[in-house]
Every structure is written in structure tokens, then in C-alpha cells.
Amino acid sequence: MKICFNQATTMKNSTLEKDLTYCEKYGYDLIEIRLDKLKDYLERNTIEDLAEFFRQNKIKPFAFNALEFITFRDEEGYEEILDNLKFLCEMGDIIDCKKIVVVPTFDVGDYTREQIKTETVEKITELANIADDYNVKLAFEFVGYPNCSVNRFEQAYDIVETVNLHNVGLVLDCFHFHAMGSDINDLKNADGNKIFIFHIDDSEDLPIGAIRDDKRLWPGDGVINLDEILATLKVIGYDEMVSVELFRPEYWDMDIEETIRIGKEKTEKIISKLFYVE
């Protein structure tokens, strides 16, 4: 299994240049590039500079993160989503990054679960058809907050199955899976090929529905049953990559190099119990 770095882990003080330098130093295979960090990078560099970096180094781009709040948008908001999608597809063509994370909307009001499903299926389908022209896949990420319109694994999986397109799959994030009490049996019954991205993280011990991103911890330092999730992934045939993603402010304030080093070591220690780490 390849180890990936998600830029959310250092997003307060770092840049794409710094993250890439230290990720290459500590042996990461892949990186998830944040949309905001890419736009910041392009203020000082060209996309061809980035492509050349990847040609010259071991680390490779795996996904862009993220098109956020894709559902229940007004016309202006949805046009921004479409513009960013096309931008990322075009940039991905140049640096060979062929996955984009898409995230549902929060605080949508009193829509029913069926109305949320209908809207989400419609928007993902439209975005996926555009992305397919660039040979890009979309990874749909449910968020384990009570006020997110799609906040549990089985709800997200049902949406992806209903969309039923070859270039649409899921992000499985351990924190979000834990935070709203998703059922491990639903993961056991899933098709491993539908999981496009796997985020690893851990959590402080708070009640279901009360946990927020600032309570994330290094993999292995919290209460999430990572071993069970990993064992289930192995059974259903998923073994492509794992990305460390931590939004914890305490980690943002650490030395960037130290954060990246610890993230690699903690992730490799957990993953290597069950998977061969490349």
C-alpha cells in the first residue's frame, strides 16, 4: 500500500513547495494537493514547474482536494464549482493527477434523506460526465458531522451505487466513519473497487455526533478501531493507498518538517500490521 500526504495536515503555515520537499525527503509515495494550495503555488510558479518536479522525484500526485459543497447551491455558487472542476481537470492533465474529491453541503435545511439523495446523485452525475472528458475520477467524501447532508458511510455508498458511473467512487475517511457511528458491516459488504481514496486519522474519545476535526489525532493515538477498518479493507480487496489527513490546529503549529515526518512514521506503523508498505 502506498502512503500519501494530505495537505490539510499542514495547511495553516505550509505551502505546496514545502510539503513536497519534506514529503519527498521522508519517502511518501503520493500527495493530495489542496485546491487553495495549488492556486497559491501558481502565483509564484507555473504548472509546468510542478510537472517537472514530479518527473524528477519519487513522489507523485494522487488527487486534488476538494470541490466543496457541491449540492443545494445557487447559480453563482454552482458555476464556481464547475469552473474549479474544469481548472483542476486541466491542471491534472499536465501533472497527471486524475482524481478529485467532492464534498456534500452542510446545513441544507429540512430536506428529506430522499431529496438529499436525489440532489446529490444529480450533481455528482453532472460533474462526473464533465470529468470523464478528461479521464478524471471523482471521489465522494461524506463528512461525519450531524449537520452535513451526507454523513454516514452507507448513505454515501448508496449514492455512489445509484450514480453507477465508472469514474465515481468514495473517500473512506476513518475519522468521518467513526464520528457519526458508521457501521463496519456496511463496509464489509461494500465493493472495494468503489473506494477511490482512503484517509487515515484517529480521534479523541467523544460521543457520536460531538466530534469535530480539531479532535483528530495521529493514527494509533486515539480510540478509532483502525485495525478493524484495515482488516475489512483487506478482505474487500482494497490496498491501493492510504493518506494521512489531520486538521488538528496543534499539529498545524508544529514545525512543518516534523509534522510530515511523524505523519509518515505513525501511518506506516499502523498500516504495516496488515499491508505491505511500498
Side-chain angles (χ1 to χ4, degrees):
M1 186 178 282
K2 293 184 177 181
I3 296 182
C4 181
F5 182 77
N6 184 297
Q7 287 196 281
T9 308
T10 55
M11 71 179 193
K12 180 180 176 182
N13 296 315
S14 194
T15 62
L16 181 54
E17 296 98 316
K18 290 178 182 178
D19 286 346
L20 284 170
T21 297
Y22 293 129
C23 284
E24 178 70 16
K25 177 177 179 178
Y26 290 102
Y28 284 84
D29 304 290
L30 305 165
I31 188 168
E32 286 185 81
I33 300 173
R34 284 183 59 88
L35 172 59
D36 56 344
K37 294 296 185 182
L38 176 61
K39 289 183 175 181
D40 171 71
Y41 173 91
L42 292 174
E43 292 180 3
R44 298 178 296 278
N45 307 275
T46 67
I47 194 64
E48 288 76 18
D49 293 330
L50 188 56
E52 182 62 22
F53 177 91
F54 288 125
R55 281 193 291 270
Q56 296 294 327
N57 290 278
K58 173 191 172 184
I59 194 168
K60 298 295 182 276
F62 189 77
F64 293 115
N65 203 317
L67 297 180
E68 294 184 310
F69 320 136
I70 63 169
T71 49
F72 301 102
R73 301 296 296 269
D74 60 21
E75 183 176 352
E76 182 179 358
Y78 192 61
E79 281 299 319
E80 183 180 4
I81 294 291
L82 294 175
D83 289 345
N84 280 328
L85 172 64
K86 292 171 185 175
F87 167 74
L88 290 177
C89 286
E90 290 167 0
M91 297 301 99
D93 252 359
I94 298 170
I95 66 171
D96 194 25
C97 187
K98 293 297 184 177
K99 290 186 179 70
I100 300 172
V101 176
V102 296
V103 179
T105 300
F106 292 63
D107 297 313
V108 300
D110 58 355
Y111 290 103
T112 66
R113 287 175 64 88
E114 190 59 34
Q115 288 171 321
I116 290 169
K117 177 180 176 179
T118 298
E119 165 75 5
T120 308
V121 167
E122 177 185 313
K123 291 301 187 291
I124 291 177
T125 300
E126 182 174 348
L127 298 176
N129 286 331
I130 295 169
D132 199 37
D133 291 339
Y134 298 86
N135 195 30
V136 167
K137 295 181 177 181
L138 301 184
F140 180 55
E141 182 169 18
F142 67 98
V143 177
Y145 284 22
N147 64 327
C148 184
S149 56
V150 182
N151 58 25
R152 281 173 56 94
F153 176 83
E154 77 275 7
Q155 185 187 8
Y157 190 80
D158 178 49
I159 287 167
V160 166
E161 282 202 309
T162 302
V163 170
N164 194 30
L165 292 173
H166 74 96
N167 67 329
V168 174
L170 281 174
V171 178
L172 173 61
D173 183 300
C174 295
F175 176 84
H176 293 313
F177 192 89
H178 170 79
M180 281 296 291
S182 291
D183 191 335
I184 194 68
N185 290 312
D186 290 317
L187 181 58
K188 289 177 180 177
N189 291 323
D191 178 357
N193 293 318
K194 295 284 189 183
I195 298 172
F196 287 177
I197 298 174
F198 173 46
H199 288 165
I200 197 164
D201 30 45
D202 218 323
S203 175
E204 295 183 28
D205 190 9
L206 278 78
I208 289 173
I211 313 170
R212 298 294 181 268
D213 281 328
D214 64 325
K215 305 303 182 187
R216 293 188 188 218
L217 294 169
W218 299 117
D221 285 5
V223 298
I224 299 178
N225 194 340
L226 297 177
D227 289 345
E228 183 178 43
I229 293 173
L230 288 166
T232 302
L233 288 175
K234 193 176 184 77
V235 168
I236 66 174
Y238 180 87
D239 63 357
E240 184 175 11
M241 58 79 75
V242 55
S243 185
V244 57
E245 184 191 46
L246 301 165
F247 285 86
R248 190 175 180 91
E250 176 185 338
Y251 299 162
W252 291 338
D253 290 334
M254 291 172 56
D255 176 78
I256 296 165
E257 180 175 1
E258 186 75 354
T259 302
I260 290 173
R261 180 188 65 80
I262 293 172
K264 175 67 157 49
E265 291 177 358
K266 294 276 190 177
T267 299
E268 190 167 349
K269 181 178 179 180
I270 293 293
I271 295 298
S272 61
K273 296 178 185 178
L274 286 165
F275 291 92
Y276 170 72
V277 179
E278 297 187 18

